[in-house]
Amino acid sequence: MRQSSWRMRWIPAIAFALIAVVQADVLPDDRSDILYHRFEGGGITVQGPSVLIRKKVGDSVSFSYQYYLDMISSASIDVVSQASPYKEKRVQQNFGVDYLHGNTLYSAGYISSIEPDYNSKTAFLNVSQSMFGDLTTVNFGYTQGSDAVGRADRGVVQPFRADADRKNYAVGLSQVLTRNTLLGLNFEVDSSQGYLHSPYRSVRYVDPTVLRGYSYQPERYPDTRTSNAASAQLKYYLPVHAALDGSYRFFGDTWGIRASTYQGGYTQTLFTNWTLDASVRYYTQTHANFYSDLFPYANAQNFLARDRELAQFHSKTFEFGASYEFHPSWRYLQFIEKGSLNLDIERMFIDYEDFRDVLDTQYKAGQEPLYTLDATVGQFFISFWY
Amino acid sequence: MRSTSRLVTLMSALVGLGIAALPAATLAADIAPGVDAPSFQLNSSLGKPVALGDLKGQVVLINFWASWCGPCRQEMPILDQLYRSYQAAGFTLIGVNVEPNAADAQKFLKATPVSFPILFDPTSSVSMLYQVSGMPSTIIVDRTGKIRYVHHGYKPGDEGEYLDQIRALTQE
Amino acid sequence: MSHQFRSRRFRGTLLVAVLVTGMLLGGCQVQPWVKPYEREHLADPIMSFDRDPISSGYLEHVFEVREGSRGASGSVGGGCGCN
């Protein structure tokens, strides 16, 4: 038995990033990016390449394609406590098209994510309208997804099959406040139903009949989940070729989770070609109302969860990035207008407030130390504009 | 979901409102075809100030541009071609740079030189006078000093229109 | 109880979003207070909400996988306002 928390159950964030980046008065720039990403922490290493290609065709249409690969090798606390380490691959592909008509940008896309035991298909539509001399941009988006949940034990696919569907509505506003200030507001409603948990994951309950003091039973989640998220972002230009930004996001759902995300960052351009970034992110969340690290007995509630994603915790993330812009002069690269080399490192520290480290067996059940996670995320990517 | 269908109705209403409101959002322009082009004088790349009045008798294309504006940069080499082709027919072109700091414009011009005069409007007085409502903006003035055509924005292919309009005006 | 929360806060946030958008749409006679030729700083790539979508998309994914919340993370617009 094993589990993977690298799921595409919820909105493909990459889809949202593709929607969110555009201005409504011009098509997005033609560009390509090649990225190598790596995550290490909590016994998991996830790494792989990603490629994004975007090209205009004519004056009004732009196509984009993204390929993303996750190669997962996991010996995380969840896996090791109940099974043995495993390796897995996930492939994601995004297809998108943008159509510009006057000051309105229409976008549509399709995203597919495939793993040995999980298939996710998502389609989205977005309309962006710019007004007031392009000082204001409003966008409306709709996303619909359907997931097929399967099961594979030690790489062998089992006959298990369940489905989950979701719908997401998003509204966004971007407003120029002054010649140096930009405001962004976003609001989203997300609704899922179906098989929303994991066929591998379990919860634990006090069991005096066994030596270690607790036993496991499969988790049970509600079959619906509705959530709202609202955020505000501000960007301010400093006369030293720098920008300050800050954002706050609030999240709440029908599972009882309330989360707040605070982010602040600074970007500085140096010597014309260099851009440096630094940012800090602070995140807190309360646990789902059917979550517990240790239930008092078997079947203590209708719904049971011990997924640390739904636990109560806070996390701090520190990011630093450097980017170097170049203009190729080599004859064969003349079609490339501009390029950049980028390196980005993040250090993430998660402190769980009600999830315990069961691998520390010297403690009685329910008295193990609270789990903490220390992770490093790295990205190296090259971008070309043509 | 009851709340979600309400949201959908609301969003559709907003989109409807937005689309209906659009025509009203365009600026009322005093700068329009048929109006006399307001006179101005600015320092130029020729080393001496240039006034619009000096160019009376020629067809003048006034292009408002900035080095930070992508479509403006795209348009510059094309305007240069137009200038060189029609100069002999009594056509002239002036590029009014709207940046408060001329250094960025100079850097761009060094990399992408043009042969037509560049005028500098660091205080945006001429941009305001001409009610520049989009970047880039192109105003074509005839030999008598009247504005004949106004263009906002640039996308590849617009130069075809400029060509036709310049040809028509130089034949007057 | 969570249904109650959803109704009240949802309605509240939605009302704010509608009011703001409504005010902006209703204020059609307002002239742009930042002129197109004054957008030099806004056009700088460092003022973009999302400079490198491939990178921000990946980071959003990293957070989403380990957290119970998601969404409302991006924004559109700003920039040079050209064309």
Side-chain angles (χ1 to χ4, degrees), chain A residues 168-219:
Chain A
N168 174 293
Y169 302 88
V171 176
L173 173 89
S174 170
Q175 178 66 48
V176 169
L177 294 179
T178 72
R179 356 165 24 146
N180 295 317
T181 326
L182 269 177
L183 171 72
L185 298 173
N186 282 281
F187 181 66
E188 236 176 82
V189 176
D190 199 293
S191 190
S192 309
Q193 65 178 55
Y195 190 90
L196 305 179
H197 50 278
S198 162
Y200 312 104
R201 218 163 29 218
S202 305
V203 303
R204 64 174 186 155
Y205 58 91
V206 175
D207 189 349
T209 70
V210 297
L211 192 60
R212 66 185 174 188
Y214 62 87
S215 289
Y216 286 101
Q217 70 171 113
E219 65 181 17

Short mmCIF file of all heavy atoms in Angstrom, two decimals, chain A residues 168-219:
data_model
loop_
_atom_site.label_atom_id
_atom_site.label_comp_id
_atom_site.label_asym_id
_atom_site.label_seq_id
_atom_site.Cartn_x
_atom_site.Cartn_y
_atom_site.Cartn_z
N ASN A 168 -15.17 25.26 -11.43
CA ASN A 168 -14.54 26.40 -10.78
C ASN A 168 -14.92 27.67 -11.52
O ASN A 168 -14.89 27.72 -12.75
CB ASN A 168 -13.02 26.18 -10.79
CG ASN A 168 -12.25 27.37 -10.26
OD1 ASN A 168 -12.23 28.43 -10.87
ND2 ASN A 168 -11.61 27.19 -9.14
N TYR A 169 -15.33 28.71 -10.76
CA TYR A 169 -15.66 30.00 -11.35
C TYR A 169 -14.70 31.02 -10.77
O TYR A 169 -14.51 31.06 -9.56
CB TYR A 169 -17.08 30.43 -10.97
CG TYR A 169 -18.13 29.45 -11.40
CD1 TYR A 169 -18.49 28.39 -10.58
CD2 TYR A 169 -18.76 29.57 -12.63
CE1 TYR A 169 -19.45 27.48 -10.97
CE2 TYR A 169 -19.72 28.66 -13.03
CZ TYR A 169 -20.06 27.61 -12.20
OH TYR A 169 -21.00 26.71 -12.58
N ALA A 170 -14.13 31.85 -11.63
CA ALA A 170 -13.16 32.83 -11.14
C ALA A 170 -13.47 34.20 -11.71
O ALA A 170 -13.89 34.34 -12.87
CB ALA A 170 -11.75 32.43 -11.55
N VAL A 171 -13.30 35.22 -10.86
CA VAL A 171 -13.48 36.61 -11.28
C VAL A 171 -12.23 37.36 -10.87
O VAL A 171 -11.74 37.16 -9.76
CB VAL A 171 -14.70 37.24 -10.55
CG1 VAL A 171 -14.83 38.71 -10.92
CG2 VAL A 171 -15.97 36.52 -10.92
N GLY A 172 -11.71 38.20 -11.75
CA GLY A 172 -10.50 38.93 -11.37
C GLY A 172 -10.56 40.36 -11.87
O GLY A 172 -11.23 40.66 -12.85
N LEU A 173 -9.85 41.24 -11.15
CA LEU A 173 -9.81 42.64 -11.55
C LEU A 173 -8.39 43.12 -11.39
O LEU A 173 -7.73 42.85 -10.39
CB LEU A 173 -10.72 43.46 -10.63
CG LEU A 173 -10.63 44.97 -10.82
CD1 LEU A 173 -11.61 45.41 -11.87
CD2 LEU A 173 -10.92 45.71 -9.52
N SER A 174 -7.90 43.85 -12.39
CA SER A 174 -6.58 44.44 -12.28
C SER A 174 -6.75 45.92 -12.52
O SER A 174 -7.39 46.33 -13.48
CB SER A 174 -5.67 43.81 -13.34
OG SER A 174 -4.47 44.50 -13.39
N GLN A 175 -6.22 46.74 -11.63
CA GLN A 175 -6.47 48.17 -11.72
C GLN A 175 -5.18 48.96 -11.56
O GLN A 175 -4.44 48.77 -10.59
CB GLN A 175 -7.46 48.57 -10.61
CG GLN A 175 -7.80 50.04 -10.53
CD GLN A 175 -8.55 50.50 -11.77
OE1 GLN A 175 -9.50 49.89 -12.20
NE2 GLN A 175 -8.09 51.60 -12.35
N VAL A 176 -4.94 49.87 -12.50
CA VAL A 176 -3.81 50.79 -12.37
C VAL A 176 -4.27 51.89 -11.42
O VAL A 176 -5.27 52.56 -11.68
CB VAL A 176 -3.44 51.40 -13.75
CG1 VAL A 176 -2.46 52.54 -13.58
CG2 VAL A 176 -2.87 50.34 -14.67
N LEU A 177 -3.57 52.04 -10.29
CA LEU A 177 -3.98 53.05 -9.33
C LEU A 177 -3.25 54.37 -9.57
O LEU A 177 -3.84 55.43 -9.54
CB LEU A 177 -3.72 52.56 -7.89
CG LEU A 177 -4.54 51.35 -7.44
CD1 LEU A 177 -4.16 50.95 -6.02
CD2 LEU A 177 -6.04 51.64 -7.50
N THR A 178 -1.92 54.27 -9.76
CA THR A 178 -1.13 55.47 -10.07
C THR A 178 -0.11 55.03 -11.11
O THR A 178 -0.05 53.85 -11.46
CB THR A 178 -0.37 56.00 -8.84
OG1 THR A 178 0.70 55.10 -8.54
CG2 THR A 178 -1.26 56.13 -7.63
N ARG A 179 0.76 55.93 -11.54
CA ARG A 179 1.76 55.53 -12.55
C ARG A 179 2.74 54.53 -11.98
O ARG A 179 3.52 53.94 -12.71
CB ARG A 179 2.55 56.71 -13.12
CG ARG A 179 2.12 58.03 -12.66
CD ARG A 179 3.04 59.18 -12.88
NE ARG A 179 3.98 59.10 -13.93
CZ ARG A 179 4.37 60.16 -14.64
NH1 ARG A 179 3.80 61.33 -14.42
NH2 ARG A 179 5.28 60.05 -15.55
N ASN A 180 2.72 54.35 -10.64
CA ASN A 180 3.65 53.42 -10.03
C ASN A 180 2.99 52.27 -9.29
O ASN A 180 3.68 51.45 -8.70
CB ASN A 180 4.53 54.16 -9.00
CG ASN A 180 5.41 55.20 -9.64
OD1 ASN A 180 6.00 54.94 -10.68
ND2 ASN A 180 5.48 56.38 -9.06
N THR A 181 1.66 52.23 -9.28
CA THR A 181 0.98 51.23 -8.46
C THR A 181 -0.06 50.45 -9.24
O THR A 181 -0.85 51.01 -10.00
CB THR A 181 0.24 51.91 -7.28
OG1 THR A 181 0.96 53.03 -6.85
CG2 THR A 181 0.04 50.94 -6.13
N LEU A 182 -0.05 49.13 -8.99
CA LEU A 182 -1.02 48.23 -9.60
C LEU A 182 -1.73 47.44 -8.52
O LEU A 182 -1.07 46.97 -7.59
CB LEU A 182 -0.29 47.21 -10.47
CG LEU A 182 -0.05 47.51 -11.92
CD1 LEU A 182 0.76 46.38 -12.52
CD2 LEU A 182 -1.37 47.64 -12.67
N LEU A 183 -3.03 47.26 -8.68
CA LEU A 183 -3.80 46.46 -7.72
C LEU A 183 -4.43 45.28 -8.44
O LEU A 183 -4.96 45.43 -9.53
CB LEU A 183 -4.91 47.33 -7.11
CG LEU A 183 -5.95 46.61 -6.24
CD1 LEU A 183 -5.34 46.20 -4.92
CD2 LEU A 183 -7.17 47.51 -6.00
N GLY A 184 -4.37 44.12 -7.83
CA GLY A 184 -5.05 42.96 -8.41
C GLY A 184 -5.98 42.35 -7.38
O GLY A 184 -5.61 42.20 -6.22
N LEU A 185 -7.20 42.02 -7.79
CA LEU A 185 -8.15 41.36 -6.90
C LEU A 185 -8.63 40.10 -7.59
O LEU A 185 -8.88 40.10 -8.79
CB LEU A 185 -9.37 42.26 -6.64
CG LEU A 185 -9.13 43.60 -5.94
CD1 LEU A 185 -10.40 44.42 -5.92
CD2 LEU A 185 -8.64 43.38 -4.51
N ASN A 186 -8.77 39.01 -6.83
CA ASN A 186 -9.24 37.75 -7.41
C ASN A 186 -10.21 37.07 -6.47
O ASN A 186 -10.05 37.13 -5.26
CB ASN A 186 -8.06 36.79 -7.63
CG ASN A 186 -7.27 37.16 -8.85
OD1 ASN A 186 -7.65 36.87 -9.98
ND2 ASN A 186 -6.18 37.85 -8.63
N PHE A 187 -11.20 36.43 -7.06
CA PHE A 187 -12.18 35.71 -6.26
C PHE A 187 -12.54 34.43 -7.00
O PHE A 187 -12.74 34.45 -8.22
CB PHE A 187 -13.41 36.59 -6.06
CG PHE A 187 -14.46 35.93 -5.21
CD1 PHE A 187 -14.22 35.66 -3.89
CD2 PHE A 187 -15.68 35.59 -5.76
CE1 PHE A 187 -15.18 35.04 -3.10
CE2 PHE A 187 -16.65 34.98 -4.99
CZ PHE A 187 -16.40 34.71 -3.66
N GLU A 188 -12.59 33.33 -6.27
CA GLU A 188 -12.84 32.05 -6.91
C GLU A 188 -13.78 31.20 -6.08
O GLU A 188 -13.66 31.18 -4.86
CB GLU A 188 -11.51 31.29 -6.96
CG GLU A 188 -11.09 30.85 -8.32
CD GLU A 188 -9.74 30.20 -8.28
OE1 GLU A 188 -9.68 29.01 -7.95
OE2 GLU A 188 -8.76 30.90 -8.58
N VAL A 189 -14.66 30.49 -6.76
CA VAL A 189 -15.51 29.51 -6.09
C VAL A 189 -15.22 28.17 -6.75
O VAL A 189 -15.20 28.07 -7.97
CB VAL A 189 -17.01 29.84 -6.26
CG1 VAL A 189 -17.87 28.77 -5.63
CG2 VAL A 189 -17.32 31.18 -5.64
N ASP A 190 -14.99 27.16 -5.95
CA ASP A 190 -14.61 25.86 -6.47
C ASP A 190 -15.50 24.79 -5.86
O ASP A 190 -15.77 24.83 -4.67
CB ASP A 190 -13.15 25.59 -6.09
CG ASP A 190 -12.53 24.52 -6.94
OD1 ASP A 190 -12.94 23.36 -6.83
OD2 ASP A 190 -11.62 24.85 -7.73
N SER A 191 -15.96 23.87 -6.68
CA SER A 191 -16.87 22.87 -6.17
C SER A 191 -16.50 21.50 -6.73
O SER A 191 -16.39 21.35 -7.94
CB SER A 191 -18.27 23.28 -6.63
OG SER A 191 -19.24 22.52 -6.02
N SER A 192 -16.27 20.54 -5.85
CA SER A 192 -15.91 19.20 -6.32
C SER A 192 -16.87 18.18 -5.78
O SER A 192 -17.44 18.37 -4.70
CB SER A 192 -14.53 18.78 -5.80
OG SER A 192 -13.59 19.75 -6.04
N GLN A 193 -17.03 17.09 -6.52
CA GLN A 193 -17.80 16.00 -5.96
C GLN A 193 -17.34 14.67 -6.51
O GLN A 193 -16.79 14.60 -7.60
CB GLN A 193 -19.30 16.19 -6.17
CG GLN A 193 -19.74 16.16 -7.60
CD GLN A 193 -21.25 16.32 -7.64
OE1 GLN A 193 -21.78 17.28 -7.10
NE2 GLN A 193 -21.90 15.38 -8.25
N GLY A 194 -17.58 13.65 -5.70
CA GLY A 194 -17.18 12.31 -6.12
C GLY A 194 -16.22 11.71 -5.11
O GLY A 194 -16.32 11.96 -3.92
N TYR A 195 -15.28 10.97 -5.61
CA TYR A 195 -14.30 10.28 -4.76
C TYR A 195 -13.16 11.26 -4.52
O TYR A 195 -12.30 11.44 -5.38
CB TYR A 195 -13.82 9.03 -5.50
CG TYR A 195 -12.98 8.10 -4.67
CD1 TYR A 195 -13.58 7.08 -3.93
CD2 TYR A 195 -11.59 8.22 -4.64
CE1 TYR A 195 -12.80 6.22 -3.18
CE2 TYR A 195 -10.83 7.36 -3.89
CZ TYR A 195 -11.43 6.36 -3.16
OH TYR A 195 -10.68 5.50 -2.41
N LEU A 196 -13.17 11.90 -3.35
CA LEU A 196 -12.22 12.99 -3.11
C LEU A 196 -11.05 12.60 -2.23
O LEU A 196 -10.22 13.45 -1.93
CB LEU A 196 -12.96 14.19 -2.49
CG LEU A 196 -14.17 14.70 -3.29
CD1 LEU A 196 -14.84 15.85 -2.56
CD2 LEU A 196 -13.77 15.11 -4.69
N HIS A 197 -10.98 11.32 -1.80
CA HIS A 197 -9.85 10.97 -0.94
C HIS A 197 -8.90 10.03 -1.68
O HIS A 197 -8.88 10.00 -2.90
CB HIS A 197 -10.34 10.39 0.39
CG HIS A 197 -11.34 9.29 0.25
ND1 HIS A 197 -12.67 9.52 0.05
CD2 HIS A 197 -11.20 7.96 0.31
CE1 HIS A 197 -13.30 8.36 -0.01
NE2 HIS A 197 -12.44 7.40 0.14
N SER A 198 -8.08 9.35 -0.93
CA SER A 198 -7.07 8.51 -1.56
C SER A 198 -7.33 7.05 -1.20
O SER A 198 -7.61 6.74 -0.04
CB SER A 198 -5.69 8.93 -1.06
OG SER A 198 -4.75 7.92 -1.32
N PRO A 199 -7.26 6.13 -2.15
CA PRO A 199 -7.49 4.72 -1.84
C PRO A 199 -6.37 4.10 -1.00
O PRO A 199 -6.51 2.99 -0.50
CB PRO A 199 -7.56 4.05 -3.22
CG PRO A 199 -6.85 4.97 -4.14
CD PRO A 199 -6.95 6.34 -3.57
N TYR A 200 -5.27 4.83 -0.85
CA TYR A 200 -4.13 4.27 -0.11
C TYR A 200 -4.03 4.78 1.32
O TYR A 200 -3.36 4.18 2.15
CB TYR A 200 -2.81 4.65 -0.77
CG TYR A 200 -2.75 4.43 -2.24
CD1 TYR A 200 -2.85 5.49 -3.13
CD2 TYR A 200 -2.56 3.14 -2.76
CE1 TYR A 200 -2.78 5.29 -4.49
CE2 TYR A 200 -2.49 2.94 -4.13
CZ TYR A 200 -2.60 4.01 -4.98
OH TYR A 200 -2.53 3.82 -6.32
N ARG A 201 -4.64 5.93 1.58
CA ARG A 201 -4.35 6.59 2.84
C ARG A 201 -5.25 6.11 3.97
O ARG A 201 -6.40 5.75 3.74
CB ARG A 201 -4.48 8.11 2.66
CG ARG A 201 -3.44 8.88 3.44
CD ARG A 201 -3.31 10.32 2.95
NE ARG A 201 -4.52 10.84 2.40
CZ ARG A 201 -4.58 11.64 1.35
NH1 ARG A 201 -3.47 12.00 0.73
NH2 ARG A 201 -5.74 12.08 0.91
N SER A 202 -4.70 6.17 5.17
CA SER A 202 -5.44 5.68 6.33
C SER A 202 -5.42 6.69 7.46
O SER A 202 -4.61 7.61 7.48
CB SER A 202 -4.79 4.41 6.86
OG SER A 202 -4.69 3.47 5.85
N VAL A 203 -6.32 6.45 8.41
CA VAL A 203 -6.31 7.23 9.65
C VAL A 203 -5.93 6.26 10.76
O VAL A 203 -6.05 5.04 10.58
CB VAL A 203 -7.69 7.87 9.94
CG1 VAL A 203 -8.13 8.74 8.77
CG2 VAL A 203 -8.73 6.82 10.26
N ARG A 204 -5.50 6.77 11.91
CA ARG A 204 -5.18 5.86 13.01
C ARG A 204 -6.09 6.13 14.21
O ARG A 204 -6.57 7.25 14.40
CB ARG A 204 -3.69 5.95 13.39
CG ARG A 204 -3.24 7.29 13.93
CD ARG A 204 -1.80 7.22 14.40
NE ARG A 204 -1.44 8.48 15.05
CZ ARG A 204 -0.48 8.61 15.96
NH1 ARG A 204 0.23 7.56 16.33
NH2 ARG A 204 -0.22 9.79 16.49
N TYR A 205 -6.31 5.09 14.97
CA TYR A 205 -7.16 5.21 16.16
C TYR A 205 -6.51 4.43 17.30
O TYR A 205 -5.72 3.50 17.08
CB TYR A 205 -8.58 4.71 15.88
CG TYR A 205 -8.66 3.26 15.42
CD1 TYR A 205 -8.81 2.22 16.35
CD2 TYR A 205 -8.55 2.94 14.07
CE1 TYR A 205 -8.86 0.89 15.94
CE2 TYR A 205 -8.60 1.62 13.64
CZ TYR A 205 -8.75 0.61 14.58
OH TYR A 205 -8.79 -0.69 14.16
N VAL A 206 -6.86 4.85 18.49
CA VAL A 206 -6.29 4.22 19.69
C VAL A 206 -6.73 2.76 19.74
O VAL A 206 -7.92 2.46 19.63
CB VAL A 206 -6.74 4.96 20.97
CG1 VAL A 206 -6.24 4.23 22.21
CG2 VAL A 206 -6.26 6.40 20.95
N ASP A 207 -5.78 1.85 19.90
CA ASP A 207 -6.11 0.42 19.93
C ASP A 207 -5.27 -0.26 21.02
O ASP A 207 -4.13 -0.65 20.77
CB ASP A 207 -5.82 -0.20 18.56
CG ASP A 207 -6.35 -1.63 18.46
OD1 ASP A 207 -6.74 -2.19 19.50
OD2 ASP A 207 -6.35 -2.16 17.33
N PRO A 208 -5.84 -0.39 22.22
CA PRO A 208 -5.06 -0.98 23.31
C PRO A 208 -4.72 -2.45 23.10
O PRO A 208 -3.86 -2.99 23.78
CB PRO A 208 -5.98 -0.80 24.54
CG PRO A 208 -7.33 -0.46 24.02
CD PRO A 208 -7.21 -0.02 22.61
N THR A 209 -5.34 -3.09 22.10
CA THR A 209 -5.08 -4.51 21.88
C THR A 209 -3.77 -4.77 21.14
O THR A 209 -3.33 -5.91 21.06
CB THR A 209 -6.23 -5.17 21.09
OG1 THR A 209 -6.20 -4.68 19.74
CG2 THR A 209 -7.58 -4.88 21.71
N VAL A 210 -3.14 -3.73 20.57
CA VAL A 210 -1.86 -3.96 19.89
C VAL A 210 -0.72 -3.27 20.63
O VAL A 210 -0.93 -2.30 21.36
CB VAL A 210 -1.88 -3.50 18.41
CG1 VAL A 210 -2.89 -4.31 17.62
CG2 VAL A 210 -2.13 -2.02 18.29
N LEU A 211 0.50 -3.75 20.40
CA LEU A 211 1.67 -3.28 21.13
C LEU A 211 1.91 -1.78 20.99
O LEU A 211 2.15 -1.07 21.96
CB LEU A 211 2.90 -4.07 20.67
CG LEU A 211 4.17 -3.91 21.53
CD1 LEU A 211 3.88 -4.36 22.96
CD2 LEU A 211 5.32 -4.72 20.93
N ARG A 212 1.84 -1.29 19.72
CA ARG A 212 2.19 0.11 19.53
C ARG A 212 1.09 1.07 20.00
O ARG A 212 1.28 2.26 20.02
CB ARG A 212 2.56 0.39 18.08
CG ARG A 212 1.41 0.23 17.12
CD ARG A 212 1.84 0.41 15.68
NE ARG A 212 0.70 0.10 14.80
CZ ARG A 212 0.80 0.01 13.50
NH1 ARG A 212 1.96 0.19 12.89
NH2 ARG A 212 -0.27 -0.25 12.78
N GLY A 213 -0.10 0.54 20.31
CA GLY A 213 -1.14 1.39 20.90
C GLY A 213 -2.14 1.97 19.91
O GLY A 213 -3.10 2.61 20.30
N TYR A 214 -1.91 1.78 18.59
CA TYR A 214 -2.88 2.30 17.62
C TYR A 214 -2.94 1.39 16.42
O TYR A 214 -2.00 0.65 16.13
CB TYR A 214 -2.53 3.73 17.20
CG TYR A 214 -1.19 3.87 16.50
CD1 TYR A 214 -1.07 3.69 15.12
CD2 TYR A 214 -0.04 4.18 17.23
CE1 TYR A 214 0.17 3.82 14.50
CE2 TYR A 214 1.19 4.31 16.61
CZ TYR A 214 1.29 4.12 15.24
OH TYR A 214 2.50 4.24 14.63
N SER A 215 -4.06 1.46 15.71
CA SER A 215 -4.25 0.70 14.47
C SER A 215 -4.74 1.63 13.37
O SER A 215 -5.17 2.75 13.65
CB SER A 215 -5.30 -0.40 14.67
OG SER A 215 -4.77 -1.41 15.48
N TYR A 216 -4.71 1.12 12.14
CA TYR A 216 -5.12 1.94 10.99
C TYR A 216 -6.44 1.47 10.41
O TYR A 216 -6.77 0.30 10.47
CB TYR A 216 -4.06 1.88 9.89
CG TYR A 216 -2.81 2.66 10.20
CD1 TYR A 216 -1.65 2.01 10.64
CD2 TYR A 216 -2.77 4.04 10.05
CE1 TYR A 216 -0.50 2.73 10.92
CE2 TYR A 216 -1.62 4.77 10.33
CZ TYR A 216 -0.48 4.10 10.76
OH TYR A 216 0.65 4.80 11.04
N GLN A 217 -7.19 2.41 9.83
CA GLN A 217 -8.36 2.05 9.03
C GLN A 217 -8.39 3.04 7.85
O GLN A 217 -7.87 4.14 7.95
CB GLN A 217 -9.65 2.09 9.84
CG GLN A 217 -10.10 3.47 10.24
CD GLN A 217 -11.49 3.48 10.87
OE1 GLN A 217 -11.63 3.78 12.04
NE2 GLN A 217 -12.49 3.17 10.08
N PRO A 218 -9.02 2.66 6.74
CA PRO A 218 -9.01 3.56 5.58
C PRO A 218 -9.72 4.89 5.87
O PRO A 218 -10.67 4.94 6.66
CB PRO A 218 -9.80 2.78 4.52
CG PRO A 218 -9.77 1.37 4.95
CD PRO A 218 -9.68 1.39 6.44
N GLU A 219 -9.27 5.96 5.23
CA GLU A 219 -9.89 7.26 5.45
C GLU A 219 -11.23 7.33 4.73
O GLU A 219 -11.48 6.60 3.78
CB GLU A 219 -8.97 8.39 4.98
CG GLU A 219 -8.69 8.41 3.48
CD GLU A 219 -7.75 9.54 3.05
OE1 GLU A 219 -7.06 10.14 3.91
OE2 GLU A 219 -7.73 9.83 1.85
#
